[in-house]
Amino acid sequence: MDKFRMIFQFLQSNQESFMNGICGIMALASAQMYSAFDFNCPCLPRYNLAYGLGILLVPPFILFLLGFVLNNNISMLAEEWRRPQGQRGKDQAVLRYMFCSMAQRAMIAPAVWVSVTLLDGKCITCAFCTSVPVKTLGNASHPSLSQGEMKRVLARIPCKEIYDGQELIANEVAVRYLRCISQALGWCFVLLMTTLAFLVRSLRPCFTQAAFLKSRYWSHYIDIERKLFDETCAEHARSFAKVCIQQFFEGMSTDLAATRCHPPRKAPADAEEASEKLLGITDQGTMNMALKSWHRCKPPLHLHPPALPSGNGWAGEGQPPTHPPVPQRETAAYYSRV
Amino acid sequence: MDRFRMIFQYFQSNSESVMNGICGLLALASVKMYTCFDFSCPCLPRYNMAYGLGIMFVPPVALFLCSLILNRQSLVMLEEWRRPQGCRKKDLAVIRYLCSSIMQRAMVAPVVWIIVSLLDGKCLICAFSSYVDPEKFVGFASASPVQVQQLLAKVPCKDDELMRNNTSRKAVSRYLRCWSQALGWSIMLILIVAVFLARWLRPCFNQATLLQARHWSNYIDIEQKIFEETCCEHSRLFAHKCILHFFESMRQEVKLHSFSLPREGEGAGGEDNLLQGITDQDQVNKLLKMWYYEKPPLDVSQATQR
């Protein structure tokens, strides 16, 4: 128990660094996914915009939801939100704190995706190639084309192999222009995100420090309480099972003694411990019968049953709590008075 | 518990080295980001300057803010600065010391970016290629002014069809790169000399004040960490008690219904001491509020006499 407590304390005091670690891994995974992704611009007038903006915006949304899913605390938040009030009031500030801290961490991987995409430039080049200012960048001497024809030609800018508008506007010029815009947007986005993060972090101590300390304490508390409760229930179940099984074997042993008219032999002092562990079952046939009986007719989940005439009853002393199995999470009646 | 204490002591004694480590990591990340970044100058007359200088100065600002965010001490400093006075006076020297140490560490990654980009040269070539004097270069001296602007703007793009085999392009490029690298090395030299002088001459001025400021800034940092840990420990014990009460109340109910013998509750004498008499929500809230609004005076002798 001591070792467990030590590890638990370490994790607890480092829960933030654990979550930050997961955040960092997701951010790296996001960058890696982008580089592994094979970007293929369709090079068709209306499809380009849809594809480019889709690649820019849909994966971040998925990563954001994934950030929530991978966070263990989401179920804790949901439980705290939906539980009946009972004897313990609900603190909205705690719920908000939990949600905000989860949302902040979930935002990192999508922000990385969007930054990497913009700094790379392929998405914006694909999406906005039909909007390149041909008049300023293109060759003025070229005869004018119809709108549709021009769009069709410009849409092929990202696909160098099939681009046929070199006289209209040089491919490299257009790509450089779009890339420059994309990278400028990317760096502005990065700057904006870091500024927002900085403001959020630095304004908090100036305004809401006391409320923050309170919310943080109680959200940690809820987490610890849940874990300790699970642990206590597991311990309880273990003790319960131990007593139950012990009573079963003792019942079997009593039955056997009754059917064979053998008085339970008292083992010599030095082998007492071992024979106690055998619980009165000392041969193959008896063991087989015990196993069959366990399978066909498990004992009731009720330690200390009343003294019954049948041999299976046992009215001896039990171990820890004698009330029914793992208490169910029902309603207010079971909430602590604290 | 012992092992935990050991790990904690390690962090305590090395919070400065942890921060230096973060600083170093960010500097490396800065270099890596620069090498990974695909610099592509637009090669258009007005866009070049904006792009070149933007790439040289916007990422350093982002890196600076990042360093401030990642540095735990910045939060500590802000809290110390904004807290109500209460029973503990505020020492501005400590806040100044914290501020300067945070700023110094935060400036490393941006400076590394700027120096690397200057030594590489691409940013300056892109930004200032339109502003060189065309008379100095044979290929551009004879063209008309408008054409010269266009041509000079295309100098950073080696693969452009106009510039592919132009020797004057290489000349301009070399010229600007030379300036860029000279600037980079000069800045590096100046900074290193400044840091050297600052570290060498510091003991000559106000050493005692500095020692005090450093001690108390360490103290504030450690105090906050220990407070957080104590809160964690307290909430764990609080939860433990809460759950025991819960099981006990269940037991009482069962006792009422089934007349079985009650079992004695587990002794929790040692843990009662750790809970320090704080056993309900309002008391905990009051404790946290008191901690913020009225920090205790830095005088432990009174506590032991009480």
Side-chain angles (χ1 to χ4, degrees):
Chain A
M1 189 58 199
D2 242 3
K3 212 183 281 190
F4 182 77
R5 197 179 296 171
M6 244 174 50
I7 296 172
F8 188 68
Q9 270 176 350
F10 178 74
L11 272 182
Q12 187 54 46
S13 62
N14 276 316
Q15 198 190 40
E16 290 236 341
S17 28
F18 178 70
M19 296 307 304
N20 290 343
I22 294 207
C23 239
I25 289 175
M26 275 201 57
L28 285 174
S30 163
Q32 186 58 33
M33 259 168 63
Y34 181 79
S35 49
F37 176 67
D38 192 12
F39 189 90
N40 264 316
C41 195
C43 294
L44 298 165
R46 276 184 297 274
Y47 290 68
N48 276 4
L49 187 68
Y51 186 85
L53 290 184
I55 299 296
L56 182 64
L57 298 171
V58 169
F61 182 67
I62 294 174
L63 286 168
F64 182 67
L65 291 177
L66 200 68
F68 272 107
V69 163
L70 289 180
N71 194 336
N72 287 335
N73 291 341
I74 189 83
S75 59
M76 181 176 86
L77 172 64
E79 267 176 41
E80 178 63 18
W81 184 38
R82 298 300 302 166
R83 71 169 171 91
Q85 182 124 334
Q87 296 175 6
R88 184 189 288 186
K90 279 204 254 193
D91 191 353
Q92 291 297 327
V94 172
L95 291 171
R96 270 198 310 264
Y97 169 81
M98 282 169 26
F99 181 74
C100 282
S101 81
M102 279 195 283
Q104 280 169 21
R105 289 197 170 89
M107 292 259 274
I108 292 186
V112 167
W113 176 280
V114 171
S115 316
V116 170
T117 309
L118 287 174
L119 291 176
D120 187 37
K122 288 197 284 246
C123 277
I124 297 288
T125 306
C126 183
F128 295 106
C129 53
T130 48
S131 318
V132 167
V134 180
K135 289 194 180 63
T136 41
L137 299 176
N139 298 328
S141 54
H142 194 265
S144 58
L145 296 165
S146 68
Q147 278 285 336
E149 190 57 30
M150 177 124 55
K151 279 208 183 323
R152 201 188 53 77
V153 168
L154 289 177
R156 293 194 184 159
I157 287 174
C159 305
K160 290 194 186 51
E161 319 83 53
I162 57 171
Y163 183 61
D164 54 358
Q166 201 68 11
E167 307 84 43
L168 174 64
I169 177 171
N171 190 293
E172 303 84 37
V173 171
V175 166
R176 274 198 308 257
Y177 174 79
L178 288 164
R179 206 144 194 229
C180 156
I181 303 276
S182 176
Q183 287 179 344
L185 278 174
W187 283 116
C188 290
F189 179 77
V190 167
L191 188 64
L192 183 71
M193 287 285 119
T194 42
T195 311
L196 272 174
F198 175 72
L199 284 175
V200 163
R201 234 174 119 94
S202 57
L203 290 180
R204 198 238 308 139
C206 303
F207 295 107
T208 53
Q209 184 69 353
F212 168 74
L213 285 176
K214 198 173 86 165
S215 309
R216 192 172 64 174
Y217 179 88
W218 290 114
S219 80
H220 279 169
Y221 173 80
I222 292 169
D223 190 23
I224 292 176
E225 192 189 47
R226 192 176 66 144
K227 287 184 185 135
L228 270 178
F229 186 78
D230 287 344
E231 195 189 294
T232 314
C233 287
E235 284 252 342
H236 182 271
R238 210 182 82 82
S239 309
F240 197 101
K242 197 162 159 188
V243 172
C244 197
I245 290 166
Q246 197 165 10
Q247 286 180 1
F248 169 73
F249 272 103
E250 274 158 2
M252 287 285 313
S253 166
T254 319
D255 272 355
L256 283 172
T259 50
R260 290 189 199 159
C261 307
H262 269 182
R265 248 178 316 166
K266 210 167 180 224
D270 50 345
E272 210 175 273
E273 209 185 282
S275 73
E276 260 183 29
K277 285 192 180 157
L278 283 178
L279 298 170
I281 293 169
T282 47
D283 65 70
Q284 189 182 27
T286 321
M287 190 65 219
N288 286 342
M289 208 161 80
L291 291 170
K292 214 197 283 188
S293 171
W294 178 255
H295 172 66
R296 288 224 179 109
C297 177
K298 280 205 163 72
L301 281 172
H302 182 35
L303 306 176
H304 296 304
L308 294 169
S310 93
N312 263 345
W314 170 249
E317 274 191 334
Q319 273 191 22
T322 63
H323 50 78
V326 179
Q328 282 150 23
R329 280 193 99 93
E330 282 185 40
T331 54
Y334 295 141
Y335 275 78
S336 161
R337 282 181 227 124
V338 173
Chain B
M1 197 57 206
D2 254 354
R3 211 182 291 174
F4 184 71
R5 201 176 293 164
M6 253 172 47
I7 296 174
F8 182 62
Q9 274 175 345
Y10 172 76
F11 273 110
Q12 261 177 309
S13 59
N14 276 317
S15 79
E16 283 232 347
S17 30
V18 167
M19 283 189 299
N20 289 342
I22 292 187
C23 190
L25 274 175
L26 266 181
L28 285 174
S30 162
V31 174
K32 181 82 181 140
M33 262 168 60
Y34 184 83
T35 48
C36 287
F37 177 65
D38 195 5
F39 189 93
S40 80
C41 194
C43 295
L44 298 165
R46 278 181 302 274
Y47 289 70
N48 276 6
M49 175 76 123
Y51 186 84
L53 292 184
I55 298 297
M56 202 154 82
F57 293 117
V58 168
V61 173
L63 283 167
F64 180 72
L65 292 174
C66 236
S67 310
L68 289 179
I69 291 169
L70 290 177
N71 194 343
R72 215 184 142 270
Q73 266 201 345
S74 54
L75 267 182
V76 167
M77 184 205 77
L78 272 173
E79 280 171 22
E80 178 64 18
W81 182 39
R82 298 299 301 172
R83 70 171 170 91
Q85 183 132 325
C87 305
R88 186 189 289 183
K89 280 199 301 236
K90 281 204 256 192
D91 189 354
L92 282 177
V94 171
I95 297 175
R96 270 198 309 264
Y97 174 84
L98 276 173
C99 196
S100 76
S101 104
I102 292 164
M103 289 293 171
Q104 282 166 26
R105 287 193 174 88
M107 293 279 273
V108 172
V111 163
V112 165
W113 176 282
I114 291 177
I115 289 181
V116 168
S117 64
L118 283 173
L119 292 178
D120 186 36
K122 288 195 285 239
C123 284
L124 237 64
I125 294 175
C126 184
F128 293 107
S129 66
S130 313
Y131 296 92
V132 297
D133 185 6
E135 304 298 322
K136 290 189 189 154
F137 302 98
V138 175
F140 301 117
S142 46
S144 71
V146 175
Q147 242 184 350
V148 151
Q149 281 302 309
Q150 292 277 345
L151 284 174
L152 283 175
K154 289 194 193 288
V155 159
C157 299
K158 290 189 251 247
D159 301 324
D160 193 82
E161 50 193 346
L162 291 173
M163 290 284 135
R164 217 159 273 163
N165 293 317
N166 194 328
T167 45
S168 304
R169 178 199 72 77
K170 290 184 197 158
V172 173
S173 187
R174 272 200 306 268
Y175 173 76
L176 285 168
R177 190 176 246 150
C178 157
W179 269 107
S180 173
Q181 289 180 343
L183 197 60
W185 285 115
S186 314
I187 289 179
M188 197 166 10
L189 184 66
I190 291 173
L191 279 174
I192 289 185
V193 167
V195 167
F196 173 75
L197 284 175
R199 271 182 94 99
W200 225 45
L201 295 177
R202 195 168 58 182
C204 305
F205 302 98
N206 283 338
Q207 181 68 351
T209 322
L210 178 76
L211 285 175
Q212 281 173 8
R214 194 165 66 181
H215 177 268
W216 289 115
S217 70
N218 264 346
Y219 171 80
I220 294 169
D221 194 15
I222 291 172
E223 192 190 47
Q224 206 195 43
K225 278 188 202 146
I226 294 183
F227 181 71
E228 281 168 22
E229 263 190 35
T230 313
C231 279
C232 277
E233 177 72 26
H234 186 271
S235 70
R236 199 192 70 78
L237 292 167
F238 199 107
H240 193 54
K241 277 277 175 186
C242 194
I243 289 166
L244 282 179
H245 275 151
F246 168 67
F247 275 95
E248 183 63 38
S249 69
M250 284 277 306
R251 206 175 287 149
Q252 302 283 354
E253 260 188 55
V254 167
K255 192 177 92 174
L256 280 175
H257 292 310
S258 66
F259 306 105
S260 51
L261 292 165
R263 199 173 178 279
E264 277 182 8
E266 288 167 280
E271 288 180 353
D272 268 340
N273 289 337
L274 287 169
L275 273 181
Q276 317 227 0
I278 291 160
T279 49
D280 71 46
Q281 187 179 19
D282 286 337
Q283 285 176 351
V284 172
N285 285 343
K286 199 167 158 204
L287 174 128
L288 290 170
K289 213 164 141 181
M290 278 279 287
W291 178 258
Y292 177 68
Y293 280 107
E294 283 186 28
K295 275 212 164 73
L298 284 170
D299 186 2
V300 187
S301 63
Q302 274 179 7
T304 51
Q305 278 164 19
R306 258 185 244 140

